[in-house]
Amino acid sequence: MYSESADCTIESNLIAVAGDVTVDWMVFVPEVAAPEVLQTTYQWEQRDTARILAMPGGAALATILIRSAMNHVRSGNSDNVSGPSVSRAPLTDPSDDSLTRTYTTWQPFPLRTGDPTLVWRMNRFLGVQPGTQSASSASNNSGFPRCLVIDDANLGFRNLEDSWPSCLGSNQPPLHVILKMSNPLVSGPLWNQLTEHHVDQLTVYCSVDDLRKEYAPIGQALSWERTAYDVTMAVRSHADLQQARRVIISVGMSGALIVERDGPATLIYDPLYQEGDWESERPGNPIGLGTCVAAGLALQANDCPEEPDWVLATSRGLRAARTLHERRLVRPDDDQRDEAHFPLADTAAELMNNEISPFQCVRVSEDDDWTVLGSNYGDAAILAEQLVVRQDAIDEIDLPIERIGAWSSIDRTEIESMRSVRNIIREYLQQPRPSRPLSLAVFGPPGSGKSFAIKQMARQWGNDATKIDVLEFNLSQFQGPDDLPNAMQRVRDCAVEGSLPLVFWDEFDSVLDGQKMGWLAQFLAPMQDGAYVEDGITRPIGAAIFIFAGGTHSSMDSFKSSAVDLPGAKATDFLSRLRGYVDILGPNSAGEADQTWPLRRALLLRMFLATKAPALLHDGRIDIDPGVLRAFLGVTIYLHGARSMESVIDMSALSGKLRFERSALPPRHQLALHVDPEEFLSLVHEAR
């Protein structure tokens, strides 16, 4: 596989590959005691602890991958793929400096977090050593391919016209030119040649991080809608990029954007993951994403040259990249440690896979407040019923869904709030010795599940290195400011015990000594200085996360509008010390613009039924009377938010039942504690 000749000529081939070629040297370091732990003399006693392996990279690897995919479905057709290859010498002799070399270290990582299966994955990229020869002399070929793939890694090929394929600028240009590009983008003689002669055949690929390096205003991953809008606007406002027929931007392993010059933009996304989420569950540094996507695009351009399905091609490339990461150099058994296995066949197979993909697609709106729900669904009520009854409806949903422990949401605003707070907390936890607490606020209607959402998030923070202790104090029950030092002492105790306190200050916006929001001033010093005063002595608090949970305001906007009118409350000083906030919406509608309240209800209802009445579950389906389901989802308001929904379930006679029948509901006067009983029961008995 790695000893092909260095010469190649394209004669009537369907796909040609050109570009920068590398030899990728990988040092494999198994799990051994860290060198800094062992004395130097003992380090020499380690045996069979390191290996080295070289593989073709860049355009040479792309050629191998495309050929393998062609062979997967059409035996023998790999002869229709031409491109550079690497001879044996650079792959076996570390001193051979003819080609550019890259250096990486590899270690065993769990297949997924918590999985005992180990695979080799890249741990660290060490650097690049330029070669002495032309970046891609082997790819200077003749002929007229149907599709030309160029791997431009900014290693020299873009500046060496003698190395370019002769079809560039010829009277028989390729039908499609796929340019895989690295920073700096859209620069050099090659780009000028492509935009001058092949702009209508040109499909450009790069990663979202490449765009960010060009100072594109693309924020952190908060929602797919926001990411899609930011990327689309960045491409459309880039004077050089928008010359290409289309630009494809990958967003990690979780999705991509296809921005057509003369048409709409399309978002390809995994509903269960946003940027970085998929990789975070699979430790190790992923590689090969760009090569896989470029290969998928080339294969589709070859199969359907007149009307390629770019969405299908990009989805296949993403799937192939996932396969490459999950199975990358599968760790061999102890008696077969002489060779690591590169999952070429599995990766290539995904490039031609026609099975159902985890990826969905939707047209991107130029309205920055757009939602996938509004684009894909007309009636959220029908989907809500399916989400309650069928587990597979949740697993197969094509709407972006955020899951944090048992908490989940489909609402864009809520998702963005939770993810932004999670990102802030992650940054705080990366600090070696925080000097003061991280202060955040959470708002929501009564019973919306404010503390539940944050506690579910805390479960993800806690690990062997960070133990989380949850403390809750309701300030409306304190006698006065003199009770605060005792609470702060409990926070200090957590630090002494080696845990990180997550402190809920419930109803922090309540009255103190007749002053509305009087408690705000009491927290200014602890929030800013990380200390409090007790008996005249200033005591440090240490690392902590303060969560200020509103009791009288359902949103940050409501809190601010009231607080600024109370100068004595020090609201402005308090707000300046907050580092973030989240609004939890709960199961009730937040107004006419709120589209997702039926879906929020559905997710809550299924969670409550599955945990409180597990006998209703049968093979992933919840057996519930359609009228009862209609009432739970359709009643106008739950008087006490999620607590009322939970209470109605608790009051129902479900013990020993395999089905939630309408006869199990509590009587009318009991329902009145939590819903409008007339409306609720009329929905139960409504004819359909």
Side-chain angles (χ1 to χ4, degrees):
M1 170 171 136
Y2 306 131
S3 59
E4 304 172 37
S5 66
D7 298 322
C8 60
T9 302
I10 300 179
E11 295 292 344
S12 302
N13 288 302
L14 301 179
I15 300 177
V17 183
D20 293 302
V21 175
T22 62
V23 176
D24 299 334
W25 285 95
M26 300 170 285
V27 179
F28 296 87
V29 184
E31 297 168 302
V32 295
E36 61 269 18
V37 176
L38 293 175
Q39 296 180 16
T40 303
T41 56
Y42 289 100
Q43 292 176 27
W44 284 100
E45 294 186 14
Q46 301 295 312
R47 294 292 184 267
D48 193 29
T49 59
R51 290 179 295 147
I52 188 169
L53 175 70
M55 295 183 61
L61 179 59
T63 303
I64 294 169
L65 186 57
I66 294 172
R67 282 178 176 164
S68 181
M70 293 279 277
N71 268 336
H72 180 73
V73 294
R74 306 181 188 89
S75 179
N77 269 18
S78 63
D79 291 340
N80 290 321
V81 180
S82 180
S85 59
V86 180
S87 62
R88 181 175 181 81
L91 294 165
T92 55
D93 182 2
S95 66
D96 189 314
D97 61 356
S98 58
L99 295 174
T100 296
R101 291 168 289 178
T102 70
Y103 300 93
T104 53
T105 59
W106 294 67
Q107 291 182 197
F109 286 95
L111 183 64
R112 296 187 65 169
T113 302
D115 192 319
T117 305
L118 296 177
V119 295
W120 290 107
R121 288 181 183 146
M122 190 178 82
N123 178 53
R124 185 180 177 191
F125 183 80
L126 300 178
V128 177
Q129 185 174 8
T132 59
Q133 294 183 5
S134 159
S136 184
S137 59
S139 67
N140 184 13
N141 43 57
S142 59
F144 306 100
R146 177 181 294 171
C147 177
L148 173 64
V149 180
I150 302 176
D151 191 327
D152 177 9
N154 190 31
L155 296 175
F157 179 80
R158 64 172 59 173
N159 299 315
L160 298 172
E161 186 172 350
D162 291 342
S163 296
W164 301 348
S166 58
C167 61
L168 290 181
S170 71
N171 58 0
Q172 294 187 37
L175 292 176
H176 297 280
V177 179
I178 311 295
L179 174 63
K180 172 179 171 282
M181 188 168 45
S182 299
N183 291 99
L185 303 178
V186 299
S187 66
L190 176 63
W191 175 257
N192 297 333
Q193 175 77 1
L194 291 173
T195 53
E196 182 177 352
H197 297 284
H198 305 281
V199 68
D200 290 331
Q201 294 81 41
L202 181 60
T203 297
V204 173
Y205 162 82
C206 67
S207 73
V208 69
D209 283 333
D210 286 327
L211 266 186
R212 289 185 175 120
K213 290 177 184 177
E214 302 279 326
Y215 306 106
I218 302 171
Q220 58 188 339
L222 299 181
S223 69
W224 271 121
E225 292 91 341
R226 181 179 295 274
T227 297
Y229 179 83
D230 286 351
V231 171
T232 301
M233 293 300 104
V235 172
R236 296 212 187 278
S237 62
H238 197 297
D240 292 312
L241 267 182
Q242 65 178 350
Q243 295 182 73
R245 182 69 175 271
R246 67 190 53 81
V247 179
I248 299 177
I249 310 293
S250 62
V251 186
M253 299 283 192
S254 299
L257 271 297
I258 302 177
V259 184
E260 297 283 350
R261 182 187 64 199
D262 303 318
T266 301
L267 169 65
I268 302 168
Y269 64 99
D270 187 330
L272 300 181
Y273 298 101
Q274 289 193 52
E275 181 184 2
D277 293 347
W278 188 89
E279 297 92 321
S280 68
E281 295 181 359
R282 297 158 180 83
N285 292 315
I287 65 172
L289 172 59
T291 299
C292 290
V293 173
L297 298 174
L299 290 162
Q300 177 63 200
N302 174 64
D303 284 350
C304 306
E306 299 302 325
E307 294 186 15
D309 187 338
W310 301 112
V311 171
L312 174 63
T314 306
S315 299
R316 286 173 169 175
L318 291 169
R319 290 180 63 172
R322 285 184 171 187
T323 298
L324 180 60
H325 182 67
E326 288 194 309
R327 306 177 191 176
R328 175 77 179 183
L329 297 172
V330 178
R331 189 178 185 184
D333 297 330
D334 289 341
D335 58 348
Q336 297 178 342
R337 292 177 63 94
D338 293 336
E339 184 177 353
H341 168 64
F342 181 81
L344 178 64
D346 291 339
T347 304
E350 289 293 347
L351 292 172
M352 309 300 288
N353 196 334
N354 290 320
E355 296 179 1
I356 296 175
S357 169
F359 296 99
Q360 306 292 332
C361 69
V362 64
R363 179 173 294 187
V364 179
S365 170
E366 294 190 3
D367 177 3
D368 62 353
D369 290 327
W370 77 289
T371 63
V372 176
L373 174 65
S375 299
N376 282 2
Y377 286 91
D379 189 355
I382 296 176
L383 176 61
E385 292 184 1
Q386 296 173 351
L387 290 177
V388 175
V389 175
R390 297 171 34 231
Q391 175 63 44
D392 57 0
I394 299 177
D395 296 336
E396 298 172 3
I397 190 172
D398 59 357
L399 293 173
I401 181 170
E402 186 74 13
R403 292 176 174 174
I404 302 177
W407 180 89
S408 57
S409 179
I410 303 178
D411 184 90
R412 174 183 170 177
T413 301
E414 198 169 51
I415 290 173
E416 290 184 358
S417 292
M418 286 293 285
R419 288 184 68 93
S420 63
V421 165
R422 186 176 66 179
N423 293 340
I424 292 168
I425 292 172
R426 283 177 173 172
E427 288 295 319
Y428 181 78
L429 295 179
Q430 293 299 313
Q431 298 179 27
R433 294 180 63 85
S435 60
R436 58 187 178 189
L438 173 65
S439 297
L440 305 166
V442 57
F443 296 95
S448 59
K450 297 185 290 291
S451 61
F452 174 76
I454 299 298
K455 288 174 183 176
Q456 292 301 306
M457 191 187 297
R459 289 188 177 184
Q460 294 189 340
W461 310 330
N463 50 45
D464 293 338
T466 306
K467 178 186 175 184
I468 303 291
D469 274 346
V470 178
L471 303 177
E472 296 186 66
F473 303 101
N474 192 314
L475 295 178
S476 67
Q477 298 176 1
F478 279 24
Q479 297 297 316
D482 291 343
D483 290 344
L484 198 55
N486 290 333
M488 290 295 182
Q489 183 58 51
R490 290 185 58 189
V491 176
R492 279 167 50 90
D493 290 343
C494 291
V496 173
E497 294 167 359
S499 62
L500 178 70
L502 175 67
V503 189
F504 281 91
W505 302 105
D506 286 332
E507 300 193 45
F508 77 97
D509 50 356
S510 57
V511 174
L512 173 63
D513 296 334
Q515 169 69 51
K516 291 183 178 180
M517 301 190 191
W519 281 105
L520 302 188
Q522 303 298 320
F523 283 95
L524 297 182
M527 294 167 71
Q528 180 66 31
D529 304 325
Y532 67 98
V533 177
E534 182 179 21
D535 297 331
I537 300 174
T538 300
R539 303 183 185 278
I541 297 172
I545 299 176
F546 283 1
I547 305 294
F548 293 95
T552 61
H553 295 88
S554 60
S555 68
M556 172 59 85
D557 287 343
S558 171
F559 170 74
K560 287 196 295 186
S561 64
S562 299
V564 294
D565 293 330
L566 299 170
K570 301 285 187 179
T572 301
D573 291 338
F574 179 84
L575 287 168
S576 70
R577 288 160 169 77
L578 289 178
R579 295 297 178 262
Y581 75 94
V582 59
D583 288 338
I584 302 298
L585 299 177
N588 294 325
S589 172
E592 293 183 3
D594 185 1
Q595 296 178 303
T596 62
W597 66 268
L599 306 181
R600 298 198 302 270
R601 279 193 183 181
L603 295 173
L604 274 173
L605 180 58
R606 182 174 177 89
M607 181 194 68
F608 285 143
L609 291 175
T611 55
K612 293 178 172 296
L616 304 180
L617 273 169
H618 311 287
D619 297 325
R621 296 181 65 90
I622 288 182
D623 199 347
I624 182 171
D625 181 284
V628 174
L629 176 59
R630 186 165 57 245
F632 270 108
L633 295 178
V635 67
T636 300
I637 187 169
Y638 286 97
L639 301 179
H640 310 292
R643 286 197 294 267
S644 286
M645 178 184 287
E646 183 179 18
S647 296
V648 173
I649 295 172
D650 288 339
M651 294 158 57
S652 299
L654 297 177
S655 298
K657 299 285 184 65
L658 299 177
R659 185 168 187 262
F660 196 151
E661 301 164 346
R662 58 188 65 188
S663 61
L665 288 169
R668 187 183 305 267
H669 69 282
Q670 300 289 2
L671 282 172
L673 292 172
H674 301 285
V675 294
D676 179 338
E678 304 301 330
E679 181 191 21
F680 190 92
L681 293 175
S682 68
L683 288 169
V684 171
H685 301 295
E686 180 180 300
R688 283 285 181 95

